[in-house]
Amino acid sequence: MANKEKKVPGNVEGPYYVDEECIGCGLCESTAPDNFKMSDDGSTAVVYKQPANESEKAACNEALKDCPSEAIGDNG
């Protein structure tokens, strides 16, 4: 389970975030490309935009559920 105290730099403020457990696999970026992207150095993903509608929220929840390292959190 993701830990809000261990968020990686680059996450925008809001309920969804990526923490230090991220292995940079790209699954979240491919599942919810409107909300996740790889960090500038490519080592981890980050939430660059919080979901703005139900479709984006559903995609973020799918990414959270499928994340192999459980690095995505939702404190909403």
Side-chain angles (χ1 to χ4, degrees):
M1 175 176 238
N3 182 337
K4 67 182 179 181
E5 304 300 321
K6 295 183 177 184
K7 293 179 187 177
V8 296
N11 287 294
V12 295
E13 193 65 35
Y16 289 92
Y17 62 90
V18 178
D19 78 1
E20 296 171 354
E21 296 300 314
C22 180
I23 58 173
C25 72
L27 180 118
C28 60
E29 185 181 27
S30 64
T31 303
D34 292 331
N35 306 96
F36 292 89
K37 68 177 184 177
M38 295 307 291
S39 61
D40 290 340
D41 68 3
S43 63
T44 66
V46 296
V47 176
Y48 74 93
K49 179 177 141 318
Q50 294 292 331
N53 55 50
E54 288 304 313
S55 176
E56 288 183 5
K57 187 172 182 178
C60 287
N61 285 331
E62 184 176 341
L64 185 154
K65 178 178 66 79
D66 292 344
C67 177
S69 60
E70 299 182 345
I72 300 171
D74 174 13
N75 289 334

